[in-house]
Amino acid sequence: MSADTPDTLLKTPLHALHIELGAKMVPFGGYDMPVQYATGILTEHKHTRAAAGLFDVSHMGQVLLKGEGADAALESLVPVDIVDLPQFKQRYALFTNEQGGILDDLMVTRRENDLFVVVNAACKTQDIAHMQQHIGSRCTVQPLPDQALLALQGPQAVTALARLNADVQKLTFMTGGHFVLDGIDCFLTRSGYTGEDGFEISVPANKAEQLARALLAQPEVKPIGLGARDTLRLEAGLCLYGHDIDTATTPVEGSITWAIQKVRRAGGARAGGYPGASVIDGQLANGAARKRVGLISTERMPVREGAKVVNADGQEIGVVTSGSPSPSLGQPIALAYVATPQAAVGTPVFAIVRDKRVAMTVTTLPFVPNRYYRG
């Protein structure tokens, strides 16, 4: 991203509002995005855990897939059950390549007459091209550049949002629906991408600032930047694309096999038929050589992305992909890929930080319990 200058970066519809609110802006995914506001990442993180944080995620890609058989078409690109997805239910999915690697992760919601797809900012151009190339003859692939996306996250998100429309309380984890908020027609999902309960709001770009101001006027809500997004997601054990999962990692290595329903696995009614199916089915049956795990330390030294992981004998067994001090736990935490024999919970390992060994332990994920609202 170093080649980007403020002049070449794209801006979200809330850019002027971020500046007004005193945000520190950084390049991210080709956009000029707020990394934090005046109070700082730690305060923003804790506010989201305790109340409600408003995130601008308009840099992400929103796409509609339309037409008879759009679900079967999308299913040919992902190892996930899309055909049986009920109306207004949402599902986490993965675009894979022929080697079983992950091109991107995405969210899919079935609506009345289409599939609503949200993809990552840095991947959206190639994701849209990927869908147009491979399934564009089977369904309409319609990008939504005139829609903004806001995320309201935290245990009091529902309290704040319900003042604009009480019906939002009916949504449960991984469901969606159409709602009018502050007089604006919006499409909402309730997936909580920070590990907290929360809502993602697709809103016309020209109404985004109006809605953001209406939400920020609620006493529970404060604006939150990318810095706290990263620490919240890390505590939730969630993968950040391009760091914890990428084209060289498979869903089995990434410990996200929960996303692959039985019907799509070997022996299932609609097994395979997506890129890399034979590799992924082989790993589901026999395991993979390495695995994504959580690491936690009782030491103070923060462990960052890129740190090598070694065993007690000093042999290199893996690498850290995300790491930070945990604001909620007060301990350093990290996600790492380690050799499968060392991936069992409770295994002692060491991260190498500035030539020093930091003692860490393989732990269960998430680091901080998820608080999704399941009804």
Side-chain angles (χ1 to χ4, degrees):
M1 300 305 301
S2 56
D4 286 317
T5 66
D7 297 336
T8 61
L9 290 170
L10 298 167
K11 294 177 172 63
T12 75
L14 296 185
H15 189 270
L17 180 60
H18 297 313
I19 302 299
E20 179 188 319
L21 295 171
K24 179 184 176 188
M25 307 297 284
V26 298
F28 182 83
Y31 284 77
D32 197 27
M33 295 295 290
V35 68
Q36 65 178 76
Y37 298 85
T39 54
I41 293 170
L42 185 65
T43 301
E44 290 175 31
H45 178 110
K46 290 185 170 178
H47 182 82
T48 306
R49 284 269 182 257
L54 182 65
F55 298 76
D56 180 8
V57 287
S58 302
H59 57 314
M60 296 178 80
Q62 301 177 67
V63 184
L64 295 183
L65 302 183
K66 296 179 172 179
E68 193 77 34
D71 48 8
L74 180 58
E75 206 171 87
S76 71
L77 299 179
V78 300
V80 174
D81 176 7
I82 305 294
V83 168
D84 297 329
L85 185 62
Q87 188 168 302
F88 294 122
K89 295 284 190 188
Q90 186 179 47
R91 192 156 277 167
Y92 176 80
L94 305 154
F95 288 131
T96 51
N97 62 23
E98 294 299 339
Q99 294 75 43
I102 300 167
L103 297 173
D104 196 12
D105 58 347
L106 57 146
M107 298 297 268
V108 183
T109 310
R110 186 189 291 279
R111 310 198 306 181
E112 302 95 324
N113 303 307
D114 54 41
L115 295 172
F116 175 65
V117 176
V118 178
V119 299
N120 283 305
C123 304
K124 71 179 172 186
T125 303
Q126 66 241 42
D127 285 348
I128 291 165
H130 180 66
M131 289 188 281
Q132 285 170 334
Q133 179 188 341
H134 294 287
I135 62 173
S137 61
R138 299 172 61 183
C139 64
T140 304
V141 179
Q142 180 189 338
L144 300 175
D146 296 326
Q147 289 290 113
L149 196 63
L150 310 183
L152 188 67
Q153 305 283 301
Q156 293 175 19
V158 66
T159 308
L161 197 59
R163 289 197 197 97
L164 302 188
N165 188 328
D167 288 343
V168 300
Q169 297 170 90
K170 296 174 185 172
L171 289 180
T172 56
F173 181 57
M174 298 299 270
T175 66
H178 300 278
F179 297 88
V180 176
L181 301 174
D182 202 43
I184 306 162
D185 290 328
C186 300
F187 184 73
L188 272 65
T189 55
R190 193 173 187 174
S191 64
Y193 89 125
T194 53
E196 288 290 339
D197 179 25
F199 300 83
E200 300 76 39
I201 307 165
S202 179
V203 54
N206 62 356
K207 302 281 190 182
E209 186 176 325
Q210 176 191 330
L211 181 59
R213 289 185 187 278
L215 291 168
L216 290 167
Q218 308 305 315
E220 300 85 359
V221 182
K222 286 191 164 53
I224 311 293
L226 290 171
R229 178 207 67 162
D230 285 355
T231 54
L232 288 159
R233 286 182 61 85
L234 177 57
E235 287 186 346
L238 299 170
C239 295
L240 188 60
Y241 189 81
H243 300 263
D244 309 304
I245 49 173
D246 56 29
T247 55
T249 55
T250 70
V252 180
E253 292 172 329
S255 301
I256 41 180
T257 54
W258 53 265
I260 307 175
Q261 289 76 26
K262 196 173 174 184
V263 70
R264 301 304 315 280
R265 299 185 182 211
R270 296 194 312 283
Y274 61 89
S278 59
V279 175
I280 291 169
D281 280 336
Q283 290 187 352
L284 282 167
N286 306 310
R290 62 180 190 143
K291 192 177 172 191
R292 182 178 67 95
V293 298
L295 302 178
I296 192 164
S297 178
T298 54
E299 299 186 23
R300 304 305 303 165
M301 178 86 75
V303 175
R304 304 290 186 187
E305 180 180 358
K308 289 178 181 174
V309 181
V310 300
N311 63 15
D313 298 330
Q315 293 170 306
E316 193 173 330
I317 56 165
V319 65
V320 170
T321 53
S322 289
S324 170
S326 164
S328 302
L329 302 176
Q331 293 173 263
I333 57 173
L335 296 176
Y337 281 83
V338 300
T340 300
Q342 278 82 38
V345 170
T347 304
V349 298
F350 299 88
I352 306 298
V353 181
R354 299 196 206 102
D355 298 326
K356 290 194 175 75
R357 296 195 344 167
V358 178
M360 306 196 84
T361 306
V362 177
T363 187
T364 52
L365 292 172
F367 297 101
V368 173
N370 295 329
R371 294 196 286 186
Y372 303 129
Y373 176 71
R374 300 177 189 274

